[in-house]
Amino acid sequence: MNGHALNGLTGDAGDASTERIQVVDEEKQFTQALSTQVERWGLRDAGFNYNIVAVFGSQSTGKSTLLNRLFGTTFDVMDETRRQQTTKGIWMCRAKAMNVLVMDVEGTDGRERGEDQDFERKSALFSLASSEILIVNLWEHQVGLYQGANMGLLKTVFEVNLGLFGKKPRDGTEGRTLLLFVIRDHIGTTPLENLRATVTADLLRIWDSLAKPDELKDRQLSDYFDLDFTALPHKILVPDKFETEVANLRTRFANKDKSDYLFKPLYHKRIPADGVSMYMENIWEQVQSNKDLDLPTQQELLAQFRCDEISAVALNEFNDQAKSQKRPIEAGKVVEGLGKMMKSWKTQALERYDRDASRYHAGVYKRKRTDLLGVVDSALSPLFLGQLKNLHKACLVSFKKEMMDGMKGDSYSFADIISSARTTCETRFTEGAKEALLEDTDWVWEDELELLREEVRSVADQCRKDETKKMINQIERNFKKQIAEPLDVALNQPSADMWDKVLKAFRQTLDKAESSYLTKAKSFNCTEEENTTSLATLRKRAWLALRAKIDEHTSDAVFLSKMRAFFEERFRYDEHGVPRVWKPEDDIDSQFKKAKDQALELIPLYSHIAPQDETLQIELPSDDFSDSMAQEEFDFPATLVVFTETKTMDLTNKFRRDADAYYVEAKRSTVASIAQ
Ligand code: GDP
Ligand code: MG
C-alpha cells in the first residue's frame, strides 16, 4: 500500500490498515485475535464512530471483487484461470479511509453440500445479526428464482434470526438492518424498479411463510429490515460503466452528507468499538449453539412441505370415515366389526400417504409417516375405548340375564349357573376387545376386563346373598310349620317334663333346618364365615319362633283359661271325670283349696323355660348390646323368662278371683239343694 492518509486515524495505523483477519475459520472457530486486530486497525477507541457491513450471496458472483472495489479491501478474489472457490469462512478487513469493518462471507451455492450447508446458514445468520448493512449480491438472472437466489436459505436465516434476536423493541431505533440488494451484470432491459418489485414480493412471501414464535407472529418484515436496491453493469463487458457505478455506490457508504447515505444511525448496533469483538464472538456462539440451525436441506424443506400436505389430504378422508362410527359409540352401541373398519381406514390413510409421499426425502417421509400414524391412532383410540366401555356394559347386562334365567327353575346349582354365565361374559368381552384392538398400538383392554370381572363378582355376590336370604326365609317357614304341632301338644299338657319335650322338639326341628341349609349352601359357594352367620341367624329366628309359640300359649287370656280348665277339671269333676254335685256334707273348702293350689302351680311351671334334664337347655349368644342402637336386641337369657315377677303376681290374683267365683257358685249350689 502506498501510504494514503487515513482521516482521523493514528499515525502508524498505515501498515496495519490493509491487514485481513479470518474471523471464523473452516472449523467454525471464532478467532481469538479480533480484538487485537481492531486495535491494530486503529479502531479500538472509535466509540460508536464505526460501521459494519457484510456480504451475502452465491459463490463466485463477484462478492469479494465488489467489496474490494467499494472499500479498498484486500479480500481474495477468484483466479480466472483456476475457477475455484476462494473465500473460506468469514474474513474481515478494515475499509480504506472509512471507519468500516467489512466482512466477506463464504459464498453459498444453493445446492446441497451436506455439512457445508450448516456453515452457510450459520455464517449468513451471523452476518445478518452482526452487521448494519447486509449486501445481498445476486446476478440479474437470479432474480425471481427461488433456488438460485438463495431465497430458501434466506427463509431459514430469517426464521432463526427472528427466534434468536427478534424480541427487540419495535420502535426501529435498534436492531434494524439494511438489506442492500446489489444486482450484478444488470443489462438494463428490465428496469431496476421491476427487479426491486420482484425481490420485494419474494421477500414478503418468505416472511409470511416463516414459522414465527407466537409472541412475534404479527411482526412484519419492515419491523426488522429496510430494503434497498442497486444495480451494477457488467464488469467485463462494460468495465467503465461498472467502475463508475461502483464509485457512486462507494460514496453512499462513505459520505455522511449524502441524502442516500447508507449507514443510517438506526442500523447501528450501539456497541462501542472496543467491545465489538466480544459482541461478535457472542453472536457467533449463540448462532453455533442454536439447535434450530441444524436446519433441513432444501430437499428436506420441500419434503416437509409436501409430506405435510399429502398427510393432511390422507387424514381428511380418514377423519370422515372415523366420524361415521363416533356417534354410535358415544350412544353406547357395541359396533360390530369396529376393529376391522378401523384397520381398513388406517391402512387406506397410510396407503394414500405412502403413494405420494414416499417419493420425497426418505427421512422426512418416514418422520411424517410416524406423525400421521400417531394422529390416526389417537383419533381411533377414543373409538376403541368407547367400544370397550359399551362392550363391558353389554356383557354385564347379559351376564345378569343369563344368571336370572338360570335360576328360574326349582332345582339349580347356583355355583354352576354363575360360573357358566361368567365364562360366557368374559369370552364375549375378550373376543370383542381383541377384535377392536389395532396392532402396533399401545392400546390395552385387560384393565377393562378386570373392571368387568370385579362387577360380575359383585353382582354374583349380591345375588348369592339375596338367594341365601331367601333360602333362610324358606327354611324358617318350614321350621315354623314343623315345630307348631309338637309344641302345641307339649304346651297343652302341663307336666313336670313339659319343657323337656318342648326343647327336644325344638332341637330336632332345628337340626333338620340346619342340615337343610348346609346342603343348599354348598351349591351357593357360601363361605365359611357366611355359613356361620347364616346358621346363627337361623338359630335365633328358630328360637324366636319358638318363643312366639310359647307367647301364644301364655297370653293372659289363653293362660288363664288354661288354668281355669285345669282347676275345673280338679274341682268340678271327680277322679273319674264325673261332674260333682255338691252336697252339704261335702268338704268343699279343702277340695277347692287343693284344686286351686294345683292350678296355681302352673304359673311357676310355665314361667321359665327350664327342662328337668339340664343337658336339654338351649344356649344361644345374645346380640352385642354395646354398639347397637337397635331397640329390639336379642337378649337370650331374658327370653328364657316367660312370666316376670309382676306377671306372676298379676296372674295369681286374676286366677284367684276366677277360682273364688267357682267356689261361691259351688257353695250356692249346695244351699239351693238344701232349700229344695
Ligand atoms: P465471490 O466468490 O463471490 O467472492 O466472487 P469473486 O469476487 O471471487 O469473483 C468471481 C469471478 O467473477 C472472478 O473471476 C471475477 O473476475 C468475476 N467477476 C467479478 N465481478 C464480476 C461482475 O460484476 N461480472 C462478472 N460477469 N464477473 C465478475
Ligand atoms: Mg469471495
Side-chain angles (χ1 to χ4, degrees), residues 60-65 77-78 80 139 184-185 234-235:
S60 306
T61 47
K63 295 187 299 298
S64 304
T65 306
V77 171
M78 194 181 87
E80 283 299 333
W139 301 121
R184 308 292 291 271
D185 289 0
H234 201 291
K235 176 175 171 284

Side-chain angles (χ1 to χ4, degrees), residues 64 76 86-87 104:
S64 304
D76 281 343
T86 46
T87 311
D104 192 14

Side-chain angles (χ1 to χ4, degrees), residues 55-101:
V55 72
F56 171 85
S58 308
Q59 249 180 60
S60 306
T61 47
K63 295 187 299 298
S64 304
T65 306
L66 175 67
L67 293 180
N68 288 345
R69 280 294 196 299
L70 281 174
F71 301 107
T73 48
T74 54
F75 295 117
D76 281 343
V77 171
M78 194 181 87
D79 183 340
E80 283 299 333
T81 56
R82 276 185 280 154
R83 281 223 150 264
Q84 53 179 211
Q85 191 195 358
T86 46
T87 311
K88 283 279 181 196
I90 302 172
W91 289 79
M92 190 186 277
C93 278
R94 192 207 142 148
K96 201 164 150 188
M98 285 187 244
N99 284 5
V100 174
L101 298 174

Side-chain angles (χ1 to χ4, degrees), residues 142-161:
Q142 283 181 308
V143 172
L145 298 178
Y146 187 80
Q147 189 84 345
N150 290 301
M151 291 304 195
L153 174 60
L154 214 49
K155 172 179 168 176
T156 44
V157 169
F158 276 168
E159 215 160 70
V160 181
N161 184 61

